[in-house]
Amino acid sequence: MLSCRGVGRTYQTDRGPVDAVRRIDLEAPDGRFVAVIGRSGSGKSTLMAMIGGLIRPTIGSILIDGVDIWALDDNAMARFRNRRIGYVFQFASLLPTLRAIDNVALPALLDRRHAAAEAYDRAAQLLADVELGTHLDAYPSEMSAGEQRRAVIARALINDPILLLADEPTSDLDEQTEREIMALFLSVNRERGTTLMLVTHNLALASEAEQVVQIADGAIVP
Amino acid sequence: MASPSVPRWLLGSLALQNLGRRKARTSLLVLAVAISGAIAFAGVVMMRSIEASITVGFSRLGADLMVVAQDALANITAALLVVEPTDQTLDANLLAQARIAGIGRAASQRIFRSEQSGFGGHAESVDLIGFDPERDFTIQPWISERLNRPMQPGDAILGAARDLPLGSEIALYGRPFRVYAKLGRTGVGTHERGVFMATSSLLALAPGIRERTGQTPPMLEPDKVSGFLIELAPGATELQARFALLSHLSGIKAVSAGSLLTGIRQGLTALLGGVLALVSMMFASTAVMVSVLFSAIVAERRNEIGLLKAIGARRAQIVGLLLIEAIGVTSAGGAIGVALGALLLRLFEHSLVYYLTQMGIPFLWLDRTNMVFIAAACVFGAALIGAVGALAPAWRVSRQDAYDLIRGEG
Ligand SMILES: Nc1ncnc2c1ncn2[C@@H]1O[C@H](COP(=O)(O)OP(=O)(O)O)[C@@H](O)[C@H]1O
Ligand SMILES: [Mg+2]
């Protein structure tokens, strides 16, 4: 269960404070596919980042699986992000000096619960699942944008998160690749039961979601 | 599916790969640290060597004055320790009779240099030094190891350069001697390769020497000596003692090294102070430079650090990653610096040290253990510079929200 309670974020800028997200309340049960839509600048990314533990809300709280994540201390928060949340960014986010397999295994290696060999086996399996089984040793620069995005999805799944967040994950891809990536997200959501929260401008895709959250000017449009 | 190869230190190698991405900057950083490291290593080793030499040469119970026959050659520094080999002799009871004011202790020495002792290499020139164990104050203080019993007739003490175990037997002119003790390194040639023994033992060699050379060397006559080493009485000045000696005795030369060595010592002390100041300045400026460079490195990598945070890297892991990187660069620089410093010391050895030794000023390199220790300290210091320089930027960046880092703000 994901719940946002009066979550808001105000950025301090040179031109004064900007209320990017204004006291949003939101609930999503486990396993749900939530689509987030809204115009550019409406506050979608800020909301996603707060839920993903990447930026601290200025007000309100976020509960994931009953844990008030922003009440956790630094280390507990890092562990929570590592184990429970998968995040797919809008832009290329693989570490360029690491092979695909290292990139995918990295979150599992950061958390020393598992042996490295186990992490690598799992990473190889996940890369095969996203049809990159032949690219284990490829560096990001040797992969297409779509392949890189698939590797990022594999990385997001390595620690079996309960929540998969994707912020416009296909905005820089061609239509065909976008369809493939979206299909991948949907299969993850359906087959693994991972809660999927996805920001998209693709209304056709959004219509497939069980829950659509439309944001305008930092607030949910009822 | 083939099992993928598992790298051992992924985070560590991540740090090192980052260095590889910016080769020019990394090399610059390594070079800067290497130069400081070289100067620090060479400077400190040189300083400690000189310091040790001074301690050894000046405070280890040397003599203040030496009295030799007028025509004898005198090696100034060796004079503080041992009389130079010469055929010119003095009467053995010269000083005892004269009762000269200002003289505290006086010890006679006989030195005989010969190629035919049968000791050492074939026809090697060996100095045989006879001294009075009861009165001696310049030789025995140098003993570094000895048998566990008092010295006896027939015992020999070897200079540091002689490589024979304690207790072994050597033969001089066919007579057996027991190696009773060995001297520490003095930097004085006569001491390094000499064979020291009680006067009575040396005199007992006279018949054997006469057999081989057809004559008895003058200093082996019972009533002759090569010279006297003198320690001033408390409160007496060198000038007074010299004056007293020269006015009471004729046909002698009173050699002192005091003023010359004092000058050298003062010069060296100033030099050492300069070296020390230079080393600490280099250290400080390198630390500042590393810190500035690492602030830039961290700023440039905010995006990557943000990503690491986003996938669950803990603050300690991020700080650790940046520190490994910094310490990797600076300790590599430190190690290269030590190598360069060693090269620099080689140069010193061929110039300065050679010059000093030519002047008869003993120079002792610091022993190996201490040198290795200083080398390790230099590498450690370099690593410390890296750690200290990178800590603040690493700490600051690790505190920021991942989203701010990724967006490049904050
Ligand atoms: N780090 C920031 N500092 C200042 N203003 C920001 C920052 N991030 C976002 N904003 C502002 O907050 C608002 C919402 O931005 P964002 O969350 O990125 O919206 P979206 O993802 O819907 O385009 C925008 O007006 C944007 O300019
Ligand atoms: Mg956005």
Side-chain angles (χ1 to χ4, degrees):
Chain A
M1 180 80 163
L2 160 69
S3 56
C4 301
R5 298 185 181 158
V7 174
R9 167 83 201 194
T10 305
Y11 292 107
Q12 300 302 330
T13 70
D14 298 340
R15 284 160 284 108
V18 174
D19 293 323
V21 173
R22 308 165 195 260
R23 296 179 169 274
I24 280 183
D25 290 305
L26 179 72
E27 303 251 297
D30 286 345
R32 182 156 283 185
F33 171 20
V34 183
V36 179
I37 56 173
R39 295 183 53 174
S40 176
S42 57
K44 307 180 296 295
S45 292
T46 303
L47 176 65
M48 295 290 279
M50 290 190 293
I51 295 172
L54 306 185
I55 193 168
R56 185 175 286 277
T58 35
I59 193 164
S61 58
I62 294 166
L63 280 80
I64 298 172
D65 215 16
V67 177
D68 182 351
I69 61 169
W70 286 104
L72 299 173
D73 68 21
D74 275 336
N75 280 339
M77 178 56 132
R79 194 177 312 120
F80 192 89
R81 271 198 299 264
N82 181 264
R83 294 185 183 175
R84 315 310 297 271
I85 298 173
Y87 208 104
V88 179
F89 294 90
Q90 198 170 345
F91 45 84
S93 64
L94 294 174
L95 295 178
T97 56
L98 299 184
R99 299 172 300 166
I101 183 104
D102 302 319
N103 265 292
V104 174
L106 191 54
L109 297 172
L110 287 172
D111 174 36
R112 298 203 203 86
R113 254 189 319 176
H114 308 287
E118 209 179 309
Y120 273 82
D121 281 341
R122 208 171 136 59
Q125 182 59 54
L126 279 166
L127 279 168
D129 291 350
V130 298
E131 283 163 28
L132 286 175
T134 54
H135 287 64
L136 302 189
D137 291 329
Y139 284 90
S141 58
E142 300 159 358
M143 296 159 75
S144 72
E147 285 166 345
Q148 289 189 39
R149 208 53 47 89
R150 296 212 297 270
V152 172
I153 294 170
R155 179 178 71 188
L157 297 175
I158 185 97
N159 282 338
D160 243 330
I162 50 169
L163 179 58
L164 181 58
L165 300 168
D167 186 357
E168 298 188 41
T170 56
S171 57
D172 55 348
L173 303 178
D174 60 79
E175 271 178 50
Q176 171 64 26
T177 313
E178 173 172 31
R179 267 196 297 279
E180 286 168 22
I181 298 287
M182 284 306 175
L184 184 56
F185 274 114
L186 287 180
S187 74
V188 168
N189 170 245
R190 296 207 181 108
E191 285 157 28
R192 294 171 185 261
T194 312
T195 306
L196 172 65
M197 191 166 175
L198 186 141
V199 178
T200 181
H201 290 294
N202 184 331
L203 295 181
L205 181 79
S207 66
E208 287 187 48
E210 297 153 285
Q211 184 176 346
V212 178
V213 175
Q214 188 181 353
I215 303 198
D217 200 15
I220 292 181
V221 179
Chain B
M1 181 173 41
S3 229
S5 60
V6 180
R8 280 186 157 246
W9 299 98
L10 191 68
L11 278 184
S13 65
L14 193 60
L16 299 182
Q17 279 164 343
N18 278 320
L19 295 173
R21 270 193 294 181
R22 291 296 196 126
K23 292 203 179 61
R25 185 177 55 197
T26 304
S27 333
L28 185 76
L29 197 53
V30 168
L31 190 71
V33 177
I35 290 172
S36 314
I39 292 178
F41 178 67
V44 171
V45 166
M46 202 62 197
M47 206 164 75
R48 294 289 311 277
S49 297
I50 291 173
E51 223 169 54
S53 302
I54 287 177
T55 318
V56 155
F58 290 79
S59 56
R60 205 162 163 185
L61 289 179
D64 298 311
L65 276 175
M66 177 177 69
V67 175
V68 291
Q70 192 141 41
D71 302 328
L73 285 170
N75 173 325
I76 288 169
T77 313
L80 294 179
L81 312 159
V82 66
V83 174
E84 278 282 272
T86 169
D87 276 350
Q88 309 295 318
T89 57
L90 295 173
D91 285 340
N93 57 4
L94 184 73
L95 288 182
Q97 282 180 340
R99 263 198 234 107
I100 291 156
I103 292 180
R105 284 198 281 184
S108 64
Q109 280 187 3
R110 291 173 167 82
I111 298 206
F112 172 54
R113 177 172 287 179
S114 161
E115 280 88 48
Q116 295 162 46
S117 63
F119 180 62
H122 175 69
E124 179 179 339
S125 165
V126 176
D127 285 341
L128 303 178
I129 300 129
F131 66 96
D132 183 355
E134 311 285 282
R135 312 194 61 123
D136 161 65
F137 60 95
T138 65
I139 293 167
Q140 290 166 103
W142 288 89
I143 289 179
S144 65
E145 45 175 343
R146 53 155 39 107
L147 293 178
N148 195 14
R149 59 165 174 77
M151 194 172 169
Q152 295 166 358
D155 279 347
I157 299 174
L158 298 184
R162 299 279 178 195
D163 211 16
L164 281 170
L166 287 186
S168 53
E169 204 177 87
I170 60 171
L172 297 167
Y173 296 99
R175 263 182 108 96
F177 281 83
R178 179 79 52 205
V179 177
Y180 167 70
K182 290 171 87 168
L183 300 184
R185 296 203 305 131
T186 61
V188 178
T190 330
H191 260 194
E192 301 298 57
R193 301 199 61 81
V195 179
F196 302 78
M197 62 190 76
T199 306
S200 57
S201 304
L202 184 66
L203 295 184
L205 289 177
I209 294 173
R210 194 169 41 240
E211 217 168 87
R212 276 171 215 223
T213 63
Q215 55 182 7
T216 304
M219 74 292 288
L220 293 194
E221 303 289 353
D223 57 347
K224 295 289 183 192
V225 297
S226 300
F228 297 93
L229 293 165
I230 288 169
E231 188 182 63
L232 297 179
T237 68
E238 199 187 285
L239 205 64
Q240 288 168 342
R242 266 166 86 88
F243 184 75
L245 279 165
L246 292 173
S247 56
H248 282 82
L249 307 170
S250 58
I252 64 139
K253 181 152 78 174
V255 183
S256 77
S259 49
L260 175 63
L261 288 183
T262 307
I264 290 170
R265 176 166 43 178
Q266 283 165 348
L268 286 179
T269 311
L271 186 77
L272 300 188
V275 167
L276 197 68
L278 190 70
V279 166
S280 23
M281 260 161 54
M282 296 279 302
F283 193 90
S285 61
T286 312
V288 169
M289 179 175 154
V290 167
S291 177
V292 168
L293 267 174
F294 261 90
S295 297
I297 288 174
V298 163
E300 179 177 283
R301 301 244 305 277
R302 292 170 60 84
N303 180 55
E304 184 181 319
I305 294 165
L307 281 172
L308 282 169
K309 270 198 97 150
I311 61 172
R314 281 174 274 118
R315 284 184 63 186
Q317 286 172 319
I318 286 165
V319 171
L321 185 75
L322 292 168
L323 286 193
I324 288 177
E325 195 173 319
I327 291 171
V329 182
T330 56
S331 45
I336 293 172
V338 166
L340 287 179
L343 232 68
L344 218 63
L345 289 175
R346 266 288 156 76
L347 285 181
F348 277 139
E349 178 146 34
H350 288 299
S351 52
L352 181 65
V353 175
Y354 178 75
Y355 178 66
L356 286 176
T357 328
Q358 285 294 295
M359 287 192 2
I361 295 162
F363 186 87
L364 291 176
W365 283 111
L366 207 56
D367 55 280
R368 190 166 291 263
T369 321
N370 269 310
M371 268 208 213
V372 169
F373 179 78
I374 292 172
C378 281
V379 176
F380 180 78
L384 199 68
I385 285 181
V388 167
L391 188 61
W395 180 257
R396 255 182 275 127
V397 80
S398 76
R399 281 175 51 173
Q400 296 188 23
D401 279 335
Y403 193 66
D404 287 336
L405 290 169
I406 293 169
R407 282 185 46 117
E409 323 224 333

